[in-house]
């Protein structure tokens, strides 16, 4: 499929000029417009929503889509997006895709935050999700846990698949892959209650549970409580994200801290570079994460 860069090269103009032909043709000389449109026809280029959305150069609005607008993790990312956008003179519009692929495809795919998908061919700002998940597992194994349960997010999510890859790699290194138990959640509190409960009701239940979001970990605490168990005495627990509620839970939650607002800042920077034609190549920015150890994890009460 032809790209905007292919059209620009064929017509002998910049990608910004090609974008302008579609977003503000009255600003482009007729001869230049003709060259661009001839290249479009010759190459079979079809402007997509991303190209049309370059009208943001005139309306000064940036569209931000999130898979779950109610998730407090995304509220912090959006705060970072809005801060950076306002500083650059842009306002922000929000779209909630509700984890539905069809909805996501309706929106422009120019820059991706939090997730890294090489096949998507868009710039991205994210952490090393695989490495972070491996660190969590090493922390639990280091405490002496051998039976570890994992509550993932939807496996169609690159975040979930990357974190699961880190979990499996650490388990295999430790020779504990056969003892690993997995349940598939959806990042919500409710799925944390449900899926952690399933793990705890199995024979030989895990002595530690790693949830792929803090919200699911909050649900897991409730699942532990409903069974007359205590965290971390009976079950250690780890979340992911370090949302602002994590340190105020009882017990305080061990979790992976993501630089949420910084992710938002970087996403806007990458987007503005593209809109201003300051870059012609993809940029993938890996930001630092940190394992924050709090009181929800401890050595198991008995070996195993």
């Amino acid at each position: 499929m032809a790209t905007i860069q292919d059209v620009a090269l064929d017509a002998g103009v910049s990608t910004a000029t090609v974008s302008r032909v579609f977003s503000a043709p009255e600003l482009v000389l007729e001869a230049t417009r003709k060259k661009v449109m001839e290249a479009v026809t010759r190459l079979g280029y079809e402007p997509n929503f991303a190209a049309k959305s370059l009208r943001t150069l005139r309306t000064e609005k940036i569209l931000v889509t999130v898979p779950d607008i109610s998730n407090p993790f995304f509220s912090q990312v959006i705060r970072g997006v809005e801060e950076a956008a306002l500083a650059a003179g842009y306002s922000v519009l929000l779209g909630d895709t509700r984890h539905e692929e069809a909805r996501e495809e309706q929106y422009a795919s120019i820059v991706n935050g939090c997730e890294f998908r090489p096949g998507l061919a868009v710039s991205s700002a994210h952490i090393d999700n695989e490495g972070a998940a491996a660190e969590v597992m090493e922390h639990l194994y280091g405490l002496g846990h051998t039976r570890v349960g994992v509550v993932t997010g939807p496996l169609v999510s690159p975040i979930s698949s990357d974190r699961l890859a880190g979990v499996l790699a650490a388990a295999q290194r430790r020779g504990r892959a056969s003892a690993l138990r997995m349940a598939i959640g959806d990042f919500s509190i409710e799925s944390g209650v449900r899926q952690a409960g399933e793990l705890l009701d199995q024979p030989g239940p895990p002595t530690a549970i790693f949830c792929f979001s803090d919200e699911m970990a909050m649900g897991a605490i409730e699942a532990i409580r409903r069974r007359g168990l205590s965290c971390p005495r009976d079950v250690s627990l780890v979340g992911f994200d370090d949302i602002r509620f994590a340190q105020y839970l009882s017990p305080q939650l061990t979790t992976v801290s993501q630089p949420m607002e910084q992710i938002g800042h970087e996403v806007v920077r990458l987007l503005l570079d593209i809109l201003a034609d300051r870059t012609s190549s993809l940029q993938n920015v890996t930001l630092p994460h940190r394992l924050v150890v709090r009181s929800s994890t401890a050595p198991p009460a008995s070996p195993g």
Side-chain angles (χ1 to χ4, degrees):
M1 182 179 295
T3 66
I4 193 170
Q5 288 83 6
D6 296 330
V7 173
L9 183 63
D10 188 270
V13 299
S14 69
T15 54
T17 297
V18 177
S19 298
R20 203 169 293 118
V21 166
F22 294 108
S23 63
E26 70 277 9
L27 300 180
V28 183
L29 293 174
E30 183 178 353
T32 303
R33 287 204 310 271
K34 184 179 178 181
K35 281 198 303 182
V36 169
M37 294 312 297
E38 286 174 348
V40 166
T41 301
R42 191 159 45 246
L43 297 174
Y45 174 69
E46 295 184 2
N48 57 19
F49 187 81
K52 294 177 183 177
S53 73
L54 290 174
R55 292 193 184 94
T56 54
L57 287 170
R58 298 169 60 196
T59 61
E60 298 181 337
K61 289 181 173 62
I62 290 175
L63 173 65
V64 178
T65 63
V66 294
D68 182 0
I69 204 167
S70 67
N71 189 321
F73 167 79
F74 293 111
S75 68
Q76 293 296 105
V77 174
I78 292 168
R79 173 176 289 180
V81 167
E82 188 168 39
E83 287 176 352
L86 289 176
Y90 286 77
S91 57
V92 174
L93 301 176
L94 292 178
D96 185 0
T97 66
R98 303 181 187 179
H99 290 289
E100 294 179 12
E101 189 173 351
R103 287 180 182 237
E104 292 175 356
E105 289 178 353
Q106 290 176 1
Y107 294 107
S109 295
I110 299 177
V111 176
N112 195 329
C114 306
E115 297 182 347
F116 174 57
R117 291 186 277 183
L120 193 57
V122 298
S123 294
S124 175
H126 51 86
I127 68 164
D128 178 2
N129 282 284
E130 182 174 343
E135 286 180 40
V136 170
M137 297 299 290
E138 289 297 338
H139 169 65
L140 294 174
Y141 289 137
L143 289 173
H145 295 279
T146 57
R147 299 197 309 272
V148 178
V150 178
V151 181
T152 75
L155 295 185
V156 296
S157 162
I159 284 178
S160 290
S161 58
D162 286 350
R163 291 175 191 173
L164 183 57
V167 165
L168 295 175
Q172 289 168 356
R173 282 195 300 270
R174 290 277 189 159
R176 299 294 181 188
S178 62
L180 197 64
R181 298 291 180 266
M182 186 178 77
I184 301 172
D186 61 12
F187 295 125
S188 69
I189 293 177
E190 292 78 10
S191 73
V193 176
R194 204 165 44 243
Q195 305 311 116
E198 286 188 10
L199 293 174
L200 293 171
D201 291 340
Q202 293 179 6
T207 60
I209 297 177
F210 172 26
C211 295
F212 282 10
S213 77
D214 287 348
E215 277 205 72
M216 291 196 298
M218 292 166 67
I221 289 176
E222 175 62 14
I224 292 168
R225 185 195 65 79
R226 289 180 183 179
R227 286 156 179 78
L229 303 174
S230 174
C231 173
R233 185 192 66 203
D234 302 305
V235 184
S236 284
L237 184 64
V238 183
F240 206 110
D241 295 333
D242 199 22
I243 62 176
R244 60 194 180 97
F245 306 114
Q247 61 181 310
Y248 300 110
L249 297 174
S250 181
Q252 293 181 316
L253 185 63
T254 294
T255 185
V256 174
S257 179
Q258 295 201 67
M260 293 172 272
E261 291 190 23
Q262 188 180 357
I263 289 173
H265 293 164
E266 283 296 312
V267 165
V268 172
R269 182 187 66 79
L270 293 172
L271 177 59
L272 294 180
D273 280 351
I274 292 170
L275 294 180
D277 202 28
R278 288 193 292 263
T279 181
S280 59
S281 59
L282 298 181
Q283 298 182 60
N284 291 304
V285 180
T286 303
L287 298 170
H289 65 270
R290 181 168 58 96
L291 177 62
V292 180
V293 178
R294 298 192 178 105
S295 55
S296 68
T297 52
S302 59

